[in-house]
Amino acid sequence: MQTGTKRTRPELRNIWICPLLTAGCFFLIMAWFSCALAATDPPSLSTWFVNMNRYSAAAHGSLKCEECHGSMLVNGKNHPDSKVSDSLKIQIIRKFDYQVCRKCHKIAYARYLKGVHAKAAMEEKITGKPSKSGYAPTCGNCHLAHYSKSHLSRIQIGKQMTETCGKCHPAEKASYLANYHGKAAVNLGYDKSASCTDCHGAHTTLSLKNKDAVLNVCRRCHPDATPEFANIIIHNTKKNLDLKNNIKKTEFKWVHLLGVLSLIFVIVILAFFYMHAGLLMLRKLYEKLREHK
């Protein structure tokens, strides 16, 4: 009996090994999955909770919270506080005062104030309503203060910019990607091709309704550009057509009219040849049937 008992003790100890290994593997997988989720947290997600690992690796990672957010007090109480009514329901991008950015980004902020986004924000404050294209973007709409990285390549910045601008201007994004500039820059990674800011400016965000302004923009990459360059339509989209000037509206209508006429012409030509081929086949079939009579 003693010998039998000695043999079973190792077996009893081995029984616990499998559950322990299983539990260990389970916790390791869960930890890896949590880290993967944290690392792939969508950049556009705006919450009150900051991933400190991503923040420390970002451009503002060396700054303390108080340098941008002040004393972190709301009505004299530490923030966030459950007693502060609806504090976690505030749209922080629309509530935060981005004049704080001016402390470190004086030139960029000064340029922003001259652009159409800042003008739209002023009209929004006066009327209390957004424009036809939506709420006016602030710094936080284009830049992720907690997660944006620095020292990116031109291609990386251009691709991020296309996605960022496309959130508010999806039709313009689609037309840009269908154009040579977008195909070369985004799809082929050609760093000499123009991106959004090359034409509209990074912070001034020019709408480019004036032909002289358009020609000056074209000449940055095409120094020999003639005034006819200003007639080229990059964003061939019908959306927000009423926001374009009269000259652009006329040119846009002509472009679409010629496009429709070209499509009709191609359809008529194809229909003619198909009908011609079909009638020819019927004639040959008819002749063969006559020969067998």
Side-chain angles (χ1 to χ4, degrees), residues 93 98 101 137-145:
I93 291 180
Y98 285 98
C101 302
T138 59
C139 303
N141 291 104
C142 301
H143 302 279
L144 299 174

Side-chain angles (χ1 to χ4, degrees), residues 121-277:
M122 289 298 295
E123 292 178 4
E124 195 176 291
K125 286 184 179 180
I126 296 171
T127 60
K129 297 179 181 179
S131 63
K132 292 182 179 180
S133 56
Y135 285 105
T138 59
C139 303
N141 291 104
C142 301
H143 302 279
L144 299 174
H146 298 124
Y147 304 132
S148 290
K149 293 185 177 181
S150 58
H151 305 298
L152 297 178
S153 67
R154 175 177 165 80
I155 292 300
Q156 290 175 315
I157 294 173
K159 288 182 178 180
Q160 285 187 7
M161 192 188 311
T162 303
E163 295 301 319
T164 300
C165 299
K167 291 176 184 177
C168 297
H169 307 282
E172 285 75 10
K173 173 190 171 184
S175 60
Y176 167 72
L177 292 175
N179 185 269
Y180 167 79
H181 294 138
K183 290 178 180 179
V186 178
N187 298 338
L188 301 179
Y190 181 53
D191 60 354
K192 299 294 188 298
S193 184
S195 59
C196 304
T197 56
D198 289 313
C199 298
H200 297 280
H203 295 96
T204 50
T205 54
L206 301 172
S207 59
L208 297 179
K209 294 180 180 179
N210 184 282
K211 279 198 171 186
D212 292 332
V214 174
L215 186 58
N216 290 333
V217 167
C218 294
R219 283 176 174 169
R220 293 175 186 172
C221 299
H222 308 280
D224 298 329
T226 59
E228 285 73 21
F229 260 66
N231 297 326
I232 297 174
I233 298 177
I234 302 296
H235 298 298
N236 186 15
T237 173
K238 292 182 179 179
K239 190 175 181 181
N240 297 327
L241 185 60
D242 56 331
L243 298 178
K244 300 181 184 295
N245 58 30
N246 294 329
I247 297 175
K248 283 289 184 182
K249 285 181 183 179
T250 304
E251 292 173 351
F252 184 84
K253 289 177 180 178
W254 273 108
V255 167
H256 275 264
L257 178 61
L258 291 173
V260 172
L261 292 175
S262 299
L263 180 62
I264 293 173
F265 177 76
V266 170
I267 292 173
V268 169
I269 293 295
L270 289 175
F272 172 78
F273 280 108
Y274 276 113
M275 288 177 61
H276 183 272

Side-chain angles (χ1 to χ4, degrees), residues 52 55 60-72 100 103 146:
M52 294 308 295
Y55 174 71
H60 293 156
S62 61
L63 300 179
K64 295 180 180 179
C65 302
E66 292 83 357
E67 294 184 55
C68 297
H69 296 280
S71 61
M72 303 295 288
V100 175
K103 292 190 299 185
H146 298 124

